[in-house]
């Protein structure tokens, strides 16, 4: 029904099928930088309909010189191509466009949403209405024939039925015929090929019977068959759109444009794509911020629920960061754009939602492989059935109808839907709880997790520390440290910078060293180090104390200038999250770069027996590797720049939205709310999603185990086959939608621990 969802193209997409792909320079302009010399270009590929299409494109596109990898999203029909920006990307992008067209998948760049409603749904409804009208009329004529009409009347009614059925099949059947023809003419097949063959053969047999004055014609079966197939596809489309409502509504938070203030103070309305970094944007009360920016003028209240999950208004003023999509409630503001719309925080979340629907999880790879080999198996089974019945009975008409039933009933739509619909629903469910997931495979990996590693500052704590010994530090040292700290996004640096708002940025050559601190060079003033004691005082006394709070040391040319102490509150929901994860079978530990007294105190408060203090980024990665060798599947939860390597190295990872950009990019999940309960909530949803996927596989296998033998034995007509096939797909989708109802985050299903996991306790470092 919809594992190969044809007939779902918009008018713009249908036009793209008939025209050449986008030019290389257009693709380059629309691409975004991934770092490391790589860029990504997203293309809409309307002809992608099933797992076989995905497998083909993901195999062929990386063969192009300059293309690193490609990923295809079935739900959005979007192909993401990652290529090397090495000066020859123009040839690579042109080759991508040409290769897609040569394979029968012409592409175009994403454009603005169609404001005229849902054209896919309209087309399906029109096709369904025509098929339903024809089916009712043909059925009335068939009833008259069944009632005992004489030969002349029977032939006349059969002929009228043929005249009614022909245009109905041509109009309504184009949903299937278009996809099947596009596949066949490019030397491949998909699930619409057997469906199209079934409908055409049913009509052809009936036409032969009519012209040869036969007693039986099956126009009613062919048209009604098409009606039920379209009904199933329409229901599936409705449920898919409902499942994808979260990402669609998220995308609508971005306005289509805003008023930009030029150098002379004039206001000009600019489309969203025309607003770039450095431009000044005017936000009136009731406007949403079109891009990420910083407030230059004005004061007011804004709704930051998109970022923080908190519904109460937040006071903003000069210097406040304003993410895209946030709502200005009161006052007039002037905001300086810091990023283009395509690179904004809102776009990042939308991209994560779309990526979650196309993750190459193990379950999905299994379903794709099964769907890819299904079409030739279906055709072979139908052929064997045809030959077998002809040899056994000699009745070629019955044999042909039985083969048609086999073609239709064996379509693996339920199998193809088993995974993607659950992933779409789960991604939407996670978003409702303020959790963004980057990849569908991340949900599968999270469901497998049996150990969790927490960072401390900014993860188990709020990440908003307060300087508590400012009165013990010389004013000039405090101002100097605040000026250096302004060059870092570390929570302790931000707190230090905030303690002296008018400290300025200083005249330094600054280098931030992840996990260590900030190195600042001033031409007449020497070299300053601000960070952990071992970094600020290399080879000297660290000057560590037994205080439980965090510390930052400032030195000049290796000489201690000042020590700054901070206090930080535990993140809301942290104790409950740790307890719920323990109930779910996950052992926990803290691996932090902070001092041992501070880490030990927090571990005691949360009831975590195992911790590691003073850990540098390499130490965190080494600890995760050690856990992996022990057979643990580790969930890493961290937020800082120094956590990025560990987040990438973990079996699965999570980071708060307040994390550094590199931390969010490295994590598999990003939670928007301040509450750490997002961690057990994501675990519970992921485990339930895995359970539903397994149920869907069982339903699909059970359906085929029962339906295929019934069709081969001749007990199912083409009409019965259509009803059975559509029903199986609808049942799978409805089962997937159960994830949207009756979910309680506090209840987390327990996963089995690995052997030796019970009672695990790592010795506290001396």
């Amino acid at each position: 029904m919809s594992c190969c969802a044809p007939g779902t193209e918009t008018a713009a997409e249908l036009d793209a099928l008939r025209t050449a792909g986008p030019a290389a320079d257009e693709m380059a302009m629309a691409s975004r930088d991934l770092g490391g010399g790589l860029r990504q270009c997203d293309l809409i590929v309307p002809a992608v309909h099933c797992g076989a299409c995905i497998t083909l494109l993901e195999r062929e596109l990386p063969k192009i010189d300059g293309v690193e990898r490609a990923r295809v999203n079935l739900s959005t029909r979007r192909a993401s191509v990652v290529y090397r920006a090495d000066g020859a990307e123009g040839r690579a992008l042109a080759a991508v466009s040409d290769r897609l067209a040569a394979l029968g998948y012409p592409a175009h760049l994403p454009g603005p949403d169609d404001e005229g409603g849902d054209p896919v749904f309209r087309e399906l409804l029109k096709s369904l209405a025509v098929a339903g009208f024809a089916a009712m009329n043909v059925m009335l004529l068939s009833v008259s024939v069944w009632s005992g009409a004489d030969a002349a009347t029977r032939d006349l009614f059969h002929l009228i039925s043929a005249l009614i059925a022909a245009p109905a099949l041509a109009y309504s059947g184009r949903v299937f015929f278009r996809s099947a023809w596009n596949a066949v003419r490019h030397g491949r097949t998909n699930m619409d090929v057997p469906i199209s063959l079934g409908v055409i053969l049913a009509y052809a047999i009936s036409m032969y019977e009519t012209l040869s004055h036969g007693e039986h014609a099956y126009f009613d079966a062919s048209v009604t068959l098409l009606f039920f197939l379209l009904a199933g596809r329409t229901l599936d489309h409705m449920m898919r759109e409902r499942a994808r409502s979260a990402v669609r509504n998220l995308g609508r938070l971005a306005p289509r444009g805003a008023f930009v203030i030029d150098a002379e103070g004039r206001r000009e309305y600019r489309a969203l794509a025309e607003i770039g970094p450095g431009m000044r944007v005017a936000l009136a009360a009731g406007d949403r911020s079109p891009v990420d920016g910083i407030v230059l003028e004005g004061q007011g209240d804004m709704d930051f629920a998109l970022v923080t999950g908190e519904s109460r208004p937040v006071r903003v003023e000069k210097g406040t960061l304003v993410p895209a999509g946030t709502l200005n409630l009161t006052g007039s503001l002037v905001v300086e754009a810091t990023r283009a719309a395509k690179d904004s925080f809102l776009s990042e979340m939308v991209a994560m939602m779309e990526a979650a629907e196309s993750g190459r999880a193990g379950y999905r790879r299994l379903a794709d492989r099964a769907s890819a080999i299904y079409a030739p198996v279906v055709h072979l089974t139908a052929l064997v059935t045809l030959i077998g019945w002809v040899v056994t009975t000699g009745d070629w008409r019955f044999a042909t109808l039985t083969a048609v039933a086999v073609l239709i009933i064996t379509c693996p739509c339920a199998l193809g839907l088993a995974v993607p619909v659950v992933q779409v629903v789960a991604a939407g469910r996670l978003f409702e709880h303020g959790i963004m997931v980057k990849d569908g495979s991340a949900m599968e990996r999270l469901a497998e997790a049996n150990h969790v590693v927490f960072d401390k500052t900014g993860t188990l704590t709020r990440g908003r520390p307060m300087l508590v010994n400012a009165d013990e530090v010389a004013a000039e040292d405090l101002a100097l440290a605040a000026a250096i700290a302004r060059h870092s996004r570390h929570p302790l640096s931000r707190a230090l910078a905030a303690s002296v708002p008018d400290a300025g940025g200083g005249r330094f050559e600054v280098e931030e060293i992840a996990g260590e601190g900030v190195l600042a060079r001033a031409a007449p003033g020497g070299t300053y180090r601000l960070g952990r004691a071992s970094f600020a005082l290399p080879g000297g006394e660290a000057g560590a104390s037994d205080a439980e709070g965090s510390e930052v040391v400032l030195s000049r040319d290796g000489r201690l200038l000042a020590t700054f102490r901070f206090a930080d509150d535990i993140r809301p929901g942290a104790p409950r999250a740790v307890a719920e994860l323990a109930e779910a079978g996950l052992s926990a530990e803290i691996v932090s770069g902070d001092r041992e007294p501070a880490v030990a105190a927090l571990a005691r408060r949360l009831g975590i027996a195992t911790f590691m203090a003073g850990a540098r980024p390499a130490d965190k990665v080494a600890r995760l590797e050690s856990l992996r060798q022990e057979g643990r599947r580790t969930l890493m939860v961290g937020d800082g720049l120094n956590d990025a390597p560990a987040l990438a190295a973990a079996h699965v990872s999570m980071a708060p939205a307040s994390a550094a950009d590199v931390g969010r990019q490295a994590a598999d999940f990003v939670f928007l709310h301040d509450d750490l309960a997002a961690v057990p909530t994501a675990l519970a949803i992921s485990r339930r999603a895995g359970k539903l996927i397994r149920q869907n596989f069982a339903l699909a296998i059970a359906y085929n185990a029962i339906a295929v033998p019934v069709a081969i034995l001749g007990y199912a007509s083409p009409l019965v086959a259509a009803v059975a096939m559509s029903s199986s797909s609808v049942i799978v989708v409805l089962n997937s939608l159960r994830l949207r109802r009756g979910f309680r985050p506090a209840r987390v299903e327990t996963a089995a621990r690995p052997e030796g996991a019970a009672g695990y306790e790592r010795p506290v470092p001396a």
Side-chain angles (χ1 to χ4, degrees), residues 451-455 587-591 623-624 627 634-638:
H451 185 74
V452 58
V453 172
F454 288 105
D455 174 48
S587 51
E589 67 178 276
I590 302 174
V591 179
R623 176 58 186 153
L624 290 172
L627 290 168
T634 304
L635 163 64
M636 174 70 194
V637 186

PDB file of all heavy atoms in Angstrom, residues 451-455 587-591 623-624 627 634-638:
ATOM      1  N   HIS A 451      23.910   1.150  30.465  1.00  0.00           N
ATOM      2  CA  HIS A 451      24.772   1.904  31.370  1.00  0.00           C
ATOM      3  C   HIS A 451      24.733   3.360  30.932  1.00  0.00           C
ATOM      4  O   HIS A 451      24.655   3.654  29.739  1.00  0.00           O
ATOM      5  CB  HIS A 451      26.213   1.367  31.306  1.00  0.00           C
ATOM      6  CG  HIS A 451      27.140   2.000  32.301  1.00  0.00           C
ATOM      7  ND1 HIS A 451      27.100   1.711  33.650  1.00  0.00           N
ATOM      8  CD2 HIS A 451      28.139   2.912  32.155  1.00  0.00           C
ATOM      9  CE1 HIS A 451      28.032   2.398  34.281  1.00  0.00           C
ATOM     10  NE2 HIS A 451      28.676   3.146  33.389  1.00  0.00           N
ATOM     11  N   VAL A 452      24.768   4.279  31.895  1.00  0.00           N
ATOM     12  CA  VAL A 452      24.719   5.699  31.560  1.00  0.00           C
ATOM     13  C   VAL A 452      25.891   6.415  32.221  1.00  0.00           C
ATOM     14  O   VAL A 452      26.214   6.163  33.384  1.00  0.00           O
ATOM     15  CB  VAL A 452      23.370   6.337  31.989  1.00  0.00           C
ATOM     16  CG1 VAL A 452      23.119   6.171  33.475  1.00  0.00           C
ATOM     17  CG2 VAL A 452      23.318   7.812  31.601  1.00  0.00           C
ATOM     18  N   VAL A 453      26.540   7.271  31.444  1.00  0.00           N
ATOM     19  CA  VAL A 453      27.648   8.093  31.937  1.00  0.00           C
ATOM     20  C   VAL A 453      27.216   9.554  31.861  1.00  0.00           C
ATOM     21  O   VAL A 453      26.839  10.037  30.783  1.00  0.00           O
ATOM     22  CB  VAL A 453      28.924   7.871  31.107  1.00  0.00           C
ATOM     23  CG1 VAL A 453      30.004   8.863  31.511  1.00  0.00           C
ATOM     24  CG2 VAL A 453      29.431   6.446  31.286  1.00  0.00           C
ATOM     25  N   PHE A 454      27.273  10.254  33.006  1.00  0.00           N
ATOM     26  CA  PHE A 454      26.879  11.657  33.063  1.00  0.00           C
ATOM     27  C   PHE A 454      28.109  12.547  33.175  1.00  0.00           C
ATOM     28  O   PHE A 454      29.055  12.237  33.905  1.00  0.00           O
ATOM     29  CB  PHE A 454      26.000  11.933  34.293  1.00  0.00           C
ATOM     30  CG  PHE A 454      24.616  11.366  34.219  1.00  0.00           C
ATOM     31  CD1 PHE A 454      24.289  10.236  34.962  1.00  0.00           C
ATOM     32  CD2 PHE A 454      23.644  11.944  33.431  1.00  0.00           C
ATOM     33  CE1 PHE A 454      23.015   9.714  34.918  1.00  0.00           C
ATOM     34  CE2 PHE A 454      22.364  11.428  33.381  1.00  0.00           C
ATOM     35  CZ  PHE A 454      22.047  10.304  34.128  1.00  0.00           C
ATOM     36  N   ASP A 455      28.079  13.657  32.430  1.00  0.00           N
ATOM     37  CA  ASP A 455      28.981  14.761  32.720  1.00  0.00           C
ATOM     38  C   ASP A 455      28.384  15.501  33.913  1.00  0.00           C
ATOM     39  O   ASP A 455      27.223  15.288  34.273  1.00  0.00           O
ATOM     40  CB  ASP A 455      29.094  15.670  31.495  1.00  0.00           C
ATOM     41  CG  ASP A 455      29.901  16.915  31.773  1.00  0.00           C
ATOM     42  OD1 ASP A 455      30.997  16.778  32.341  1.00  0.00           O
ATOM     43  OD2 ASP A 455      29.434  18.024  31.465  1.00  0.00           O
ATOM     44  N   SER A 587      22.947   0.992  35.069  1.00  0.00           N
ATOM     45  CA  SER A 587      23.878   1.461  36.083  1.00  0.00           C
ATOM     46  C   SER A 587      24.394   2.831  35.649  1.00  0.00           C
ATOM     47  O   SER A 587      24.364   3.168  34.466  1.00  0.00           O
ATOM     48  CB  SER A 587      25.034   0.471  36.245  1.00  0.00           C
ATOM     49  OG  SER A 587      25.600   0.161  34.982  1.00  0.00           O
ATOM     50  N   ALA A 588      24.869   3.634  36.613  1.00  0.00           N
ATOM     51  CA  ALA A 588      25.230   5.018  36.299  1.00  0.00           C
ATOM     52  C   ALA A 588      26.566   5.376  36.922  1.00  0.00           C
ATOM     53  O   ALA A 588      26.979   4.804  37.940  1.00  0.00           O
ATOM     54  CB  ALA A 588      24.152   5.975  36.789  1.00  0.00           C
ATOM     55  N   GLU A 589      27.233   6.336  36.295  1.00  0.00           N
ATOM     56  CA  GLU A 589      28.453   6.902  36.848  1.00  0.00           C
ATOM     57  C   GLU A 589      28.618   8.324  36.327  1.00  0.00           C
ATOM     58  O   GLU A 589      27.992   8.724  35.343  1.00  0.00           O
ATOM     59  CB  GLU A 589      29.668   6.057  36.511  1.00  0.00           C
ATOM     60  CG  GLU A 589      30.040   6.016  35.035  1.00  0.00           C
ATOM     61  CD  GLU A 589      31.295   5.187  34.795  1.00  0.00           C
ATOM     62  OE1 GLU A 589      32.393   5.745  34.951  1.00  0.00           O
ATOM     63  OE2 GLU A 589      31.156   4.002  34.455  1.00  0.00           O
ATOM     64  N   ILE A 590      29.466   9.084  37.011  1.00  0.00           N
ATOM     65  CA  ILE A 590      29.780  10.455  36.607  1.00  0.00           C
ATOM     66  C   ILE A 590      31.230  10.488  36.150  1.00  0.00           C
ATOM     67  O   ILE A 590      32.118   9.997  36.844  1.00  0.00           O
ATOM     68  CB  ILE A 590      29.582  11.452  37.767  1.00  0.00           C
ATOM     69  CG1 ILE A 590      28.144  11.396  38.287  1.00  0.00           C
ATOM     70  CG2 ILE A 590      29.927  12.867  37.318  1.00  0.00           C
ATOM     71  CD1 ILE A 590      27.920  12.252  39.530  1.00  0.00           C
ATOM     72  N   VAL A 591      31.476  11.048  34.979  1.00  0.00           N
ATOM     73  CA  VAL A 591      32.834  11.265  34.481  1.00  0.00           C
ATOM     74  C   VAL A 591      32.939  12.755  34.177  1.00  0.00           C
ATOM     75  O   VAL A 591      32.321  13.243  33.230  1.00  0.00           O
ATOM     76  CB  VAL A 591      33.129  10.421  33.231  1.00  0.00           C
ATOM     77  CG1 VAL A 591      34.544  10.705  32.731  1.00  0.00           C
ATOM     78  CG2 VAL A 591      32.967   8.939  33.535  1.00  0.00           C
ATOM     79  N   ARG A 623      37.456   6.006  28.924  1.00  0.00           N
ATOM     80  CA  ARG A 623      36.523   5.348  29.847  1.00  0.00           C
ATOM     81  C   ARG A 623      35.378   4.687  29.083  1.00  0.00           C
ATOM     82  O   ARG A 623      34.974   3.552  29.393  1.00  0.00           O
ATOM     83  CB  ARG A 623      35.972   6.376  30.847  1.00  0.00           C
ATOM     84  CG  ARG A 623      34.929   5.831  31.805  1.00  0.00           C
ATOM     85  CD  ARG A 623      35.463   4.685  32.612  1.00  0.00           C
ATOM     86  NE  ARG A 623      34.426   4.074  33.436  1.00  0.00           N
ATOM     87  CZ  ARG A 623      34.436   2.815  33.823  1.00  0.00           C
ATOM     88  NH1 ARG A 623      35.428   2.006  33.464  1.00  0.00           N
ATOM     89  NH2 ARG A 623      33.472   2.347  34.587  1.00  0.00           N
ATOM     90  N   LEU A 624      34.856   5.360  28.070  1.00  0.00           N
ATOM     91  CA  LEU A 624      33.785   4.782  27.264  1.00  0.00           C
ATOM     92  C   LEU A 624      34.271   3.550  26.510  1.00  0.00           C
ATOM     93  O   LEU A 624      33.542   2.562  26.370  1.00  0.00           O
ATOM     94  CB  LEU A 624      33.239   5.824  26.285  1.00  0.00           C
ATOM     95  CG  LEU A 624      32.444   6.970  26.919  1.00  0.00           C
ATOM     96  CD1 LEU A 624      32.135   8.032  25.884  1.00  0.00           C
ATOM     97  CD2 LEU A 624      31.152   6.449  27.530  1.00  0.00           C
ATOM     98  N   LEU A 627      34.361   0.707  28.943  1.00  0.00           N
ATOM     99  CA  LEU A 627      33.013   0.189  29.181  1.00  0.00           C
ATOM    100  C   LEU A 627      32.539  -0.668  28.006  1.00  0.00           C
ATOM    101  O   LEU A 627      31.878  -1.692  28.191  1.00  0.00           O
ATOM    102  CB  LEU A 627      32.044   1.354  29.414  1.00  0.00           C
ATOM    103  CG  LEU A 627      32.221   2.117  30.732  1.00  0.00           C
ATOM    104  CD1 LEU A 627      31.412   3.407  30.709  1.00  0.00           C
ATOM    105  CD2 LEU A 627      31.799   1.251  31.910  1.00  0.00           C
ATOM    106  N   THR A 634      26.711   1.990  26.265  1.00  0.00           N
ATOM    107  CA  THR A 634      26.702   3.174  27.121  1.00  0.00           C
ATOM    108  C   THR A 634      25.937   4.332  26.512  1.00  0.00           C
ATOM    109  O   THR A 634      26.121   4.670  25.339  1.00  0.00           O
ATOM    110  CB  THR A 634      28.146   3.623  27.424  1.00  0.00           C
ATOM    111  OG1 THR A 634      28.859   2.537  28.001  1.00  0.00           O
ATOM    112  CG2 THR A 634      28.158   4.793  28.376  1.00  0.00           C
ATOM    113  N   LEU A 635      25.108   4.950  27.344  1.00  0.00           N
ATOM    114  CA  LEU A 635      24.468   6.222  27.022  1.00  0.00           C
ATOM    115  C   LEU A 635      25.290   7.319  27.675  1.00  0.00           C
ATOM    116  O   LEU A 635      25.471   7.332  28.892  1.00  0.00           O
ATOM    117  CB  LEU A 635      23.033   6.243  27.554  1.00  0.00           C
ATOM    118  CG  LEU A 635      22.359   7.625  27.662  1.00  0.00           C
ATOM    119  CD1 LEU A 635      22.203   8.263  26.289  1.00  0.00           C
ATOM    120  CD2 LEU A 635      21.015   7.510  28.363  1.00  0.00           C
ATOM    121  N   MET A 636      25.828   8.240  26.870  1.00  0.00           N
ATOM    122  CA  MET A 636      26.598   9.371  27.375  1.00  0.00           C
ATOM    123  C   MET A 636      25.723  10.607  27.368  1.00  0.00           C
ATOM    124  O   MET A 636      25.100  10.940  26.343  1.00  0.00           O
ATOM    125  CB  MET A 636      27.837   9.593  26.501  1.00  0.00           C
ATOM    126  CG  MET A 636      28.639  10.845  26.855  1.00  0.00           C
ATOM    127  SD  MET A 636      29.488  10.700  28.436  1.00  0.00           S
ATOM    128  CE  MET A 636      29.959  12.406  28.753  1.00  0.00           C
ATOM    129  N   VAL A 637      25.656  11.309  28.507  1.00  0.00           N
ATOM    130  CA  VAL A 637      24.880  12.542  28.609  1.00  0.00           C
ATOM    131  C   VAL A 637      25.849  13.654  28.996  1.00  0.00           C
ATOM    132  O   VAL A 637      26.410  13.628  30.098  1.00  0.00           O
ATOM    133  CB  VAL A 637      23.751  12.421  29.648  1.00  0.00           C
ATOM    134  CG1 VAL A 637      22.877  13.676  29.617  1.00  0.00           C
ATOM    135  CG2 VAL A 637      22.911  11.182  29.404  1.00  0.00           C
ATOM    136  N   GLY A 638      26.077  14.596  28.088  1.00  0.00           N
ATOM    137  CA  GLY A 638      27.012  15.679  28.350  1.00  0.00           C
ATOM    138  C   GLY A 638      26.665  16.902  27.543  1.00  0.00           C
ATOM    139  O   GLY A 638      25.787  16.855  26.673  1.00  0.00           O
TER     140      GLY A 638
END
